[in-house]
Amino acid sequence: MPDGYAVTVDALAGWLPPAARAELDQLLASGPEASTEHPHRRHHEHEAHHRHLALVAGRAREIIEDQPLPAWLADAVAAAHARLASRTGRGAALKVAVRSSAAAEDGASASFAGQYATYLGVTGLPDVLGAIRRCWASGFSAHALEYRRRAGSAGSSGGTTIEDHRLAVGVLELVDVRSAGVVFTMDPVSGDRDRLIVEANWGFGESVVSGQVTPDHWEVDRSSGRVLAEHVSAKGSWSVFDDDAGVVALRPLPTELAGQASLSAQEVGYLCQAAVRIEAAADGVPQDVEWAIARGLPFPDSVYILQHRPETTWAPGQRGAVPEDRDPAPPAAPEPDPRAPDPTPDPKAPDPRAKAYDPVAYALRNVFRVPGA
Amino acid sequence: MPPTLGSVNRLAGTHVYIGTIDVATPWQIQARAARFGQYVSPILADFDRYWSMRAGELQAAYDHFDDLDLTALDPAHLWVTLQDAYAFHRRAWFIHFEVMYVLTANYLAFYALAEEIGLEGSQVSSFLAGEQTFYGKTDEQLWRLAARARELGIGGPLRAASPREAISQIQAMPNGTSWLSDFNSFLATYGQRTEETCRIDTPSWIEDPSAALYTIGSFLAKPAGFDFHAARAAAVAERDAQIDAARGQLSGDNLQRFNEALASNQAANFAWWNEEHNYLIDRRAAIPARRVTLELGARLAADGVLNAPDDLFYLFKPELFGVMNSASGNNAGPKWAELTAMIPDRRAYFEHWRTRGPELPTMLGTIPDTVPDPIMIEVFGLSGHFLQTLKGAGGDKGEATAEIRGFPAAKGVVEGTAKVITTVADISKVEPGDILVCGGTTTEWTPVFGIITACVCDTGGSLTHAAIVSREYGIPCVVGTAIATQVIKTGDRIRVDGRAGTVQVFA
């Protein structure tokens, strides 16, 4: 793990001044209720619903970002940040990643991942404090509101309230990344638990996670550690940190790196072992593990595990956790903050009801006679 | 599968009896059902992609092992390669059962749907016939080689001589080398198969082509040859006619469900895979481990540690790995002398049980009324009827029964002379025009379906090898009779009705 500190859920729970809090609660309670009940009935209701969400999100963020953090919280962050700058030896040049994590996020039943903002390459205390506020505000993006409504975490009202907004923020040293990517402790295509899948590219992991390039791909046998398949792709682009814009951006990959494997065999093996240990610590639930390899550090100190989460596509109870409404949502409203691009949350799973016959459901019910299947 | 933990092996000497492990507790069934659904749904959603990944993985491993020059490996590398070959063997069988359960579930769901909408479940397998498989192509090549041998005038040795003599006789004939080079290139593609499943001690056709030569010889005895294109066209036409007839009986939601289930089974087709996968798994997965083991055995025999390279087949894997580990100084395991001392006894034990094979009973222990595992029913044929018949047959073996009932596996009515075969080693006794009566068939029996007129088996259900292959060859077949090989004698006049599932014995 990169070194860092966290601003906890409880620390952030009561930070908004009462006036802003009241305004926000009123805003969240408003809305075209009829369309939230049956948003799949009519397309124009979809549109109205999403226009409303975008309005709510935009206004909520204005309200929140206007408020300075209370002095006690700003002081605590300043102290933690100074300690981190000293521990890492970077001093004032310390670059950090500020990322949010919802208390309800990354549960095994429905993925909240990617609904909240991450700010990379932040330097200096004032910018860090601003990023922490914006991270917290990102919990009120149109995507996040819609996602929480659909996943039912906001309770029976179908809306969301400020009480539901339980978000922590992590501040981590920004690693000078050489290569990055993901390890799946289960083949996400077939569900085969005997093999681990490693996907990697040069540079930051965004190019891999967002699916913007065809990454290098390894399939590794869990028990023997043997590489069963290796595909080094041409890649063509990579995610690099743009210091001027303060964002990770996709750029053409230098020709000397294109077609070259972005990981050594030793690194592939080490990442797989680490991922298996993480899975074991997570009660054996299959995980996807994001990692990065730092430039200029000796192996294996160079290997950073960034985050892991259950493979929700395969985890038990998914069908039950997704509400009845399985229509794909229309394209969401553009984000007001260009530094916080959220991916579209809707699963692309086909609606099983569109078919008259599902072989697996049929086998469970009529062949294996599983009660209640 | 939710109601079963698969099968457990019980050994009678060297013979494997398969038992079911039923899941009795409801919470386990529920948990397994949930996992099963999550695992299987995405595979069935795009089976083609899934299977091409698996088949590609297996092929990549075979390419690797086949390309190794084992004699050139240093001892440490050879030992690593042996472990690697065993690890691959395990992986191949993982894939085997993964695919097997997925496809069986798909098939059984279609079967249950068919019964629900007023069709016969037993028809379902005929909807899925007519697919080309690797073993179908093998048979076609064997027929081609038989026809070419006849053209070149070298059929005599193939019909009369033992395989080894046949090769040296053909070599001496004018056109002999031309035919042999044709035969060898056939083996390079189709000869990566052993005669039995899970037997590291049996050679591949490349090592010992006797089985292929026997088959070509038996095809030469049937001068007309076998028209594969006509047989396949007929199987496809019959399949399509059956599908059309079924659709004619259906409408509305039932028709839509039928069409979707059919499409799912055409894409993920058990009847096809059951034959096809033998080439990549059942008959091939042990060959890399066999070759490496024999190379190690040859070196040990040259050093005087073993009497013969194949001595190693009479050690358990933990014994072999233990002595290899201790030889490389990793731990204190057994010594070679302790192990080699046991080998003569073990060879005798194997031989004793091999000869006892045909006389062993079909089932051991208390016969249940039903089994819950659909694979046991449809693949191994443990239907209620089969189990009841087997219970009834306990006391009066051999007593003539006018009519035997079984599962109607492939349609058609044929009357003819029975040839009872209890072991695949006797397969060369089958002559053109015989009705084959046997315990059950596996891949190495496939070529015989080109010369018999009907097939009757003790075991089997709708997904049994004999049932599938009979449909491809267009001959009547009844499986799961439980007692055919006990009641019918070679030379008996019998009448097989593959649609009714009956066999009349005229004696």
Side-chain angles (χ1 to χ4, degrees):
Chain A
M1 283 280 298
D3 199 353
Y5 58 92
V7 188
T8 64
V9 169
D10 289 339
L12 288 166
W15 79 277
L16 269 189
R21 195 183 167 87
E23 194 184 349
L24 197 56
D25 264 338
Q26 197 185 356
L27 180 68
L28 293 174
S30 73
E33 280 306 314
S35 62
T36 56
E37 299 240 335
H38 299 290
H40 59 289
R41 289 268 184 256
R42 309 260 292 273
H43 184 66
H44 74 263
E45 287 189 3
H46 262 311
E47 285 184 356
H49 172 69
H50 282 274
R51 264 199 311 275
H52 172 73
L53 277 184
L55 265 169
V56 169
R59 182 66 196 125
R61 297 172 92 166
E62 281 171 26
I63 296 169
I64 294 161
E65 291 182 12
D66 282 350
Q67 306 299 325
L69 285 181
W72 63 269
L73 186 51
D75 288 349
V77 171
H81 200 75
R83 285 197 298 274
L84 179 62
S86 150
R87 278 202 305 275
T88 56
R90 307 274 184 201
L94 171 67
K95 277 188 202 169
V96 293
V98 181
R99 58 195 311 165
S100 42
S101 170
E105 189 179 4
D106 297 349
S109 57
S111 177
F112 267 71
Q115 301 321 305
Y116 305 109
T118 295
Y119 299 92
L120 298 173
V122 183
T123 41
L125 184 63
D127 284 357
V128 169
L129 293 173
I132 290 172
R133 282 206 315 273
R134 280 199 299 277
C135 265
W136 198 79
S138 75
F140 296 95
S141 74
H143 279 122
L145 291 176
E146 171 66 1
Y147 194 89
R148 292 200 309 177
R149 189 191 65 76
R150 292 165 72 91
S153 75
S156 56
S157 72
T160 180
T161 75
I162 198 164
E163 302 302 329
D164 301 322
H165 194 59
R166 294 176 54 75
L167 205 91
V169 174
V171 180
L172 304 167
E173 184 193 0
L174 187 72
V175 178
D176 183 14
V177 177
R178 185 207 76 201
S179 307
V182 186
V183 182
F184 300 92
T185 65
M186 166 170 70
D187 184 338
V189 176
S190 67
D192 181 353
R193 296 200 57 176
D194 266 11
R195 68 176 54 195
L196 281 70
I197 306 296
V198 182
E199 299 202 324
N201 190 11
W202 299 106
F204 281 82
E206 272 72 1
S207 70
V208 178
V209 176
S210 66
Q212 286 166 301
V213 299
T214 302
D216 294 337
H217 178 97
W218 289 265
E219 299 182 15
V220 178
D221 183 56
R222 177 188 288 266
S223 52
S224 68
R226 203 156 59 92
V227 173
L228 301 171
E230 176 185 35
H231 178 73
V232 176
S233 86
K235 299 178 282 282
S237 48
W238 62 340
S239 291
V240 290
F241 188 67
D242 181 331
D243 275 308
D244 296 336
V247 293
V248 171
L250 199 67
R251 298 274 186 269
L253 186 65
T255 43
E256 67 269 23
L257 293 179
Q260 246 196 70
S262 51
L263 286 179
S264 68
Q266 194 182 28
E267 287 165 344
V268 170
Y270 184 87
L271 287 167
C272 287
Q273 287 169 18
V276 165
R277 283 201 305 275
I278 289 168
E279 183 194 72
D283 294 330
V285 177
Q287 302 285 311
D288 68 75
V289 178
E290 288 180 28
W291 50 266
I293 308 243
R295 205 173 269 131
L297 287 177
F299 174 86
D301 296 347
S302 55
V303 180
Y304 285 87
I305 301 299
L306 302 178
Q307 67 168 342
H308 65 98
R309 68 172 79 94
E311 261 289 287
T312 46
T313 321
W314 289 86
Q318 188 216 11
R319 184 167 292 186
V322 176
E324 278 303 294
D325 174 15
R326 307 193 101 215
D327 285 357
E335 286 298 310
D337 184 349
R339 295 180 65 181
D342 280 341
T344 303
D346 289 291
K348 293 199 173 68
D351 183 346
R353 291 173 309 179
K355 292 204 155 209
Y357 173 81
D358 172 0
V360 172
Y362 216 88
L364 292 174
R365 193 167 59 239
N366 297 8
V367 178
F368 305 134
R369 313 240 174 243
V370 175
Chain B
M1 287 186 166
T4 166
L5 292 170
S7 60
V8 60
N9 292 340
R10 299 270 155 73
L11 296 176
T14 57
H15 292 270
V16 179
Y17 282 85
I18 302 173
T20 64
I21 319 172
D22 307 337
V23 177
T25 51
W27 73 266
Q28 265 193 322
I29 291 178
Q30 291 292 342
R32 292 170 63 79
R35 276 173 51 210
F36 186 84
Q38 284 147 17
Y39 202 95
V40 174
S41 295
I43 297 178
L44 284 181
D46 192 354
F47 182 78
D48 200 34
R49 171 184 148 79
Y50 160 81
W51 172 241
S52 61
M53 276 171 57
R54 292 289 184 267
E57 178 186 339
L58 295 167
Q59 191 60 56
Y62 291 127
D63 289 346
H64 164 73
F65 285 113
D66 291 350
D67 285 350
L68 286 177
D69 179 3
L70 297 176
T71 56
L73 297 183
D74 64 55
H77 198 163
L78 187 71
W79 166 222
V80 169
T81 305
L82 183 71
Q83 297 169 72
D84 204 20
Y86 273 97
F88 164 71
H89 185 261
R90 184 171 183 278
R91 171 69 188 161
W93 281 96
F94 172 89
I95 293 174
H96 175 279
F97 284 104
E98 182 184 68
V99 186
M100 173 79 109
Y101 282 117
V102 168
L103 291 180
T104 312
N106 198 31
Y107 170 85
L108 292 172
F110 192 13
Y111 193 106
L113 175 75
E115 304 237 297
E116 186 182 297
I117 61 181
L119 304 170
E120 292 284 330
S122 57
Q123 279 179 277
V124 165
S125 50
S126 60
F127 298 150
L128 305 174
E131 297 292 334
Q132 175 71 291
T133 69
F134 197 84
Y135 280 89
K137 288 183 211 157
T138 307
D139 292 355
E140 198 168 347
Q141 290 296 317
L142 291 168
W143 280 104
R144 187 186 63 75
L145 285 163
R148 189 159 150 74
R150 190 181 293 116
E151 268 168 39
L152 296 174
I154 56 168
L158 284 166
R159 293 188 57 183
S162 75
R164 287 195 188 286
E165 290 164 5
I167 287 189
S168 56
Q169 288 178 26
I170 290 169
Q171 219 143 23
M173 296 170 87
N175 291 319
T177 48
S178 153
W179 188 87
L180 283 175
S181 90
D182 195 354
F183 181 66
N184 284 333
S185 62
F186 158 81
L187 285 180
T189 308
Y190 297 92
Q192 294 279 13
R193 57 186 279 179
T194 57
E195 279 298 279
E196 291 181 61
T197 297
C198 284
R199 289 285 298 271
I200 196 176
D201 59 327
T202 58
S204 71
W205 279 13
I206 290 176
E207 291 174 81
D208 178 3
S210 297
L213 292 167
Y214 264 131
T215 306
I216 293 168
S218 72
F219 288 172
L220 281 169
K222 192 181 178 186
F226 187 82
D227 187 342
F228 271 87
H229 296 288
R232 194 172 321 122
V236 168
E238 168 66 18
R239 174 196 70 196
D240 292 346
Q242 295 229 24
I243 292 172
D244 287 345
R247 282 182 173 143
Q249 296 175 40
L250 302 170
S251 62
D253 185 50
N254 283 353
L255 179 60
Q256 193 187 341
R257 286 194 289 161
F258 174 86
N259 284 334
E260 287 176 17
L262 178 64
S264 177
N265 277 266
Q266 283 169 337
N269 185 334
F270 184 96
W272 161 78
W273 187 80
N274 193 40
E275 188 76 349
E276 179 75 3
H277 81 280
N278 286 309
Y279 168 69
L280 276 173
I281 306 176
D282 291 39
R283 303 309 160 94
R284 193 169 181 184
I287 293 177
R290 172 181 168 82
R291 285 182 56 230
V292 186
T293 306
L294 284 174
E295 171 62 24
L296 177 64
R299 294 184 191 187
L300 290 164
D303 291 346
V305 177
L306 300 177
N307 289 324
D310 70 350
D311 278 356
L312 288 183
F313 294 141
Y314 297 90
L315 299 183
F316 290 103
K317 184 184 154 201
E319 291 174 338
L320 175 59
F321 276 41
V323 73
M324 288 301 293
N325 268 324
S326 82
S328 39
N330 289 347
N331 60 20
K335 300 278 180 290
W336 275 114
E338 297 162 16
L339 297 177
T340 54
M342 295 187 282
I343 288 171
D345 279 353
R346 290 184 181 181
R347 278 186 183 272
Y349 184 85
F350 259 73
E351 182 54 24
H352 168 75
W353 281 98
R354 193 185 64 74
T355 55
R356 283 197 63 184
E359 72 200 37
L360 291 172
T362 308
M363 289 186 90
L364 289 179
T366 308
I367 299 172
D369 291 331
T370 58
V371 295
D373 185 342
I375 290 203
M376 291 293 163
I377 298 168
E378 300 301 332
V379 180
F380 297 107
L382 304 188
S383 65
H385 165 72
F386 174 86
L387 297 168
Q388 294 312 316
T389 308
L390 211 56
K391 282 183 181 179
D396 52 356
K397 273 186 195 175
E399 189 172 301
T401 306
E403 185 174 284
I404 300 168
R405 283 204 313 115
F407 182 88
K411 74 175 186 73
V413 180
V414 159
E415 199 174 309
T417 309
K419 178 70 61 74
V420 181
I421 300 289
T422 54
T423 163
V424 70
D426 290 340
I427 202 163
S428 56
K429 292 180 184 163
V430 178
E431 287 161 32
D434 283 346
I435 295 177
L436 174 65
V437 179
C438 60
T441 66
T442 43
T443 298
E444 62 273 16
W445 296 69
T446 304
V448 92
F449 283 79
I451 59 172
I452 59 177
T453 56
C455 177
V456 180
C457 301
D458 286 348
T459 61
S462 66
L463 295 184
T464 303
H465 177 266
I468 293 168
V469 177
S470 293
R471 285 191 290 273
E472 304 300 338
Y473 280 83
I475 61 171
C477 179
V478 177
V479 299
T481 61
I483 50 171
T485 57
Q486 294 168 30
V487 172
I488 302 170
K489 305 276 175 292
T490 290
D492 283 354
R493 192 93 194 135
I494 64 174
R495 184 168 191 273
V496 180
D497 184 335
R499 177 158 281 165
T502 58
V503 183
Q504 284 170 293
V505 186
F506 305 121

